[in-house]
Amino acid sequence: MKVINLKDCPWGIDTVARFHQEQWQALYPNWTLQEFMNDMELALLSDLVPQTWVLSDNKRLLGSVSLLECDLEGYEHYSPWLADVYVKGSHRGHGYGKWLIEAAMDFARSKKLLPLYLYTPDHQRYYEKMGWNIVEVVNYQGKQIVIMVFDGF
């Protein structure tokens, strides 16, 4: 099992787009699979942000994480964002999500892209264990979410 940049396996865009559509269709109800794929293709064209990494096991893709300019409408003043953290259900609970997140955090640190932001409705403690801190708690589209920051220290 390893974490690689999507640029190193562009054949995986379809799979990753399907993961994202399955996981986050409710947030983007009007998006088609093609729109999720177009979003992934942007990561192939960038040297900094956006970027996407995938969890790979012998050519099978089992998860993803991205760095985006903004992941929360109305909060564009925070940037860049850790986003799209996904591990296929059958592979959850083995630390692979942490591997993906650390790959993105290491890239951000190496490219001096810190601080990083993220939002979560329910995984605040998980991210705090990796050094993330609360910026604010907000009501977004009827749900309470926590915006967090990682500054690398």
Side-chain angles (χ1 to χ4, degrees):
M1 200 75 70
K2 61 185 176 179
V3 175
I4 58 175
N5 194 294
L6 186 61
K7 290 178 185 177
D8 297 325
C9 59
W11 51 265
I13 287 177
D14 180 74
T15 301
V16 175
R18 287 179 194 279
F19 289 162
H20 292 191
Q21 184 182 37
E22 175 186 307
Q23 188 70 28
W24 296 294
Q25 183 75 62
L27 296 175
Y28 305 96
N30 299 319
W31 277 34
T32 64
L33 177 60
Q34 186 60 53
E35 288 169 301
F36 280 95
M37 290 175 67
N38 293 346
D39 195 47
M40 293 289 91
E41 288 172 355
L42 294 175
L44 302 180
L45 305 173
S46 174
D47 290 329
L48 291 176
V49 178
Q51 290 291 314
T52 296
W53 293 266
V54 294
L55 180 66
S56 175
D57 177 17
N58 297 324
K59 299 245 180 195
R60 287 185 313 154
L61 300 184
L62 304 168
S64 70
V65 66
S66 298
L67 289 182
L68 306 175
E69 284 292 330
C70 186
D71 193 36
L72 194 62
E73 187 177 328
Y75 292 85
E76 292 83 2
H77 55 286
Y78 296 137
S79 186
W81 291 73
L82 180 86
D84 303 334
V85 178
Y86 175 85
V87 175
K88 197 169 180 177
S90 59
H91 289 80
R92 292 180 183 166
H94 300 285
Y96 299 135
K98 185 176 180 183
W99 284 10
L100 287 160
I101 293 164
E102 287 176 344
M105 289 166 56
D106 289 346
F107 176 85
R109 190 180 295 114
S110 74
K111 300 295 184 182
K112 299 184 179 5
L113 296 174
L114 299 178
L116 282 180
Y117 297 89
L118 65 77
Y119 78 89
T120 180
D122 53 5
H123 290 91
Q124 170 188 338
R125 300 274 183 250
Y126 178 78
Y127 290 106
E128 285 176 329
K129 290 177 185 175
M130 287 187 274
W132 293 78
N133 297 299
I134 297 171
V135 173
E136 58 183 302
V137 178
V138 300
N139 188 311
Y140 188 80
Q141 296 182 351
K143 288 186 176 182
Q144 182 174 302
I145 61 169
V146 179
I147 298 174
M148 303 186 80
V149 65
F150 175 78
D151 58 20
F153 302 106

